């Protein structure tokens, strides 16, 4: 994990906005026509100062060869880390990088005096849900619906 540089932030922000918009549409929360604009608005609101936004930590994730394999966005509040986003690039998925990243983050959190790590996962993201459960995360809230 290395701190993200401000000059790479716009690429990160746009890629995350696109993915977030797709997830919100797939979950049936946002309309497709407005989703990308809404996602971009949320990014600007949450990360108003890019990588320098107070209490938000953005990291590039590197493998042992120093190749960038993904990104991580964490928010800190009251001795808690909240994971806003983990992105392991497609070419590196299903190789254990997500689990290893969570182990490294947990170690970093303990060293920083953090007592809890939280996150949100979309219901349709079964692979991520499986990884989080395997790594010891517990479900604390569930929203359900039935489309008629």
């Amino acid at each position: 994990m290395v701190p993200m540089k401000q000059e790479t932030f716009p690429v990160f922000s746009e890629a995350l906005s696109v993915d977030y918009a797709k997830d919100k549409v797939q979950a049936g929360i946002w309309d497709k026509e407005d989703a990308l604009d809404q996602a971009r608005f949320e990014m600007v609101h949450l990360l108003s100062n890019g990588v320098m936004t107070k209490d938000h930590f953005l990291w590039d994730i590197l493998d042992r060869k120093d190749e960038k394999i993904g990104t991580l966005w964490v928010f800190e509040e009251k001795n808690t880390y909240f994971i806003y986003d983990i992105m392991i690039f497609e070419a590196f998925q299903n190789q254990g990088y997500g689990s290893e990243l969570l182990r490294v983050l947990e170690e970093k959190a303990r060293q920083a005096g953090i007592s809890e790590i939280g996150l949100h996962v979309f219901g349709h993201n079964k692979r991520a849900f499986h990884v989080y459960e395997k790594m010891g995360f517990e479900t604390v809230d569930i929203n359900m619906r039935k489309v008629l």
Side-chain angles (χ1 to χ4, degrees):
M1 293 171 37
V2 297
M4 186 180 292
K5 295 179 178 160
Q6 188 68 33
E7 56 266 20
T8 62
F9 176 78
V11 172
F12 161 80
S13 179
E14 183 62 16
L16 184 56
S17 294
V18 169
D19 285 349
Y20 188 55
K22 286 178 188 174
D23 281 336
K24 286 287 208 173
V25 169
Q26 187 172 349
I29 299 167
W30 288 350
D31 292 328
K32 186 176 183 179
E33 298 77 33
D34 304 321
L36 187 54
D37 287 338
Q38 286 179 276
R40 287 175 177 149
F41 175 81
E42 286 196 17
M43 287 293 293
V44 168
H45 175 72
L46 289 169
L47 293 170
S48 57
N49 291 318
V51 300
M52 301 304 292
T53 303
K54 186 179 184 311
D55 300 323
H56 289 263
F57 302 97
L58 299 164
W59 290 287
D60 287 329
I61 309 307
L62 309 178
D63 66 8
R64 289 187 173 92
K65 300 174 190 171
D66 287 336
E67 182 174 359
K68 185 174 174 181
I69 63 166
T71 57
L72 173 64
W73 172 16
V74 173
F75 173 67
E76 181 181 346
E77 182 178 49
K78 299 180 184 173
N79 294 329
T80 299
Y81 274 172
F82 186 84
I83 299 170
Y84 268 90
D85 187 68
I86 293 176
M87 181 184 297
I88 302 296
F89 302 145
E90 192 170 340
F92 301 99
Q93 292 178 3
N94 297 316
Q95 298 178 39
Y97 287 116
S99 298
E100 181 62 22
L101 175 57
L102 289 169
R103 275 190 283 280
V104 170
L105 180 62
E106 188 174 320
E107 182 180 311
K108 184 175 194 62
R110 282 194 176 102
Q111 292 170 356
I114 300 298
S115 58
E116 183 176 290
I117 299 174
L119 57 85
H120 167 270
V121 62
F122 285 101
H124 60 265
N125 195 342
K126 306 293 186 207
R127 180 172 50 190
F129 187 86
H130 170 75
V131 171
Y132 299 139
E133 207 170 41
K134 180 180 81 171
M135 296 304 296
F137 286 80
E138 298 175 358
T139 301
V140 294
D141 188 43
I142 296 175
N143 293 323
M144 299 177 78
R145 74 161 179 247
K146 181 177 182 180
V147 177
L148 303 177

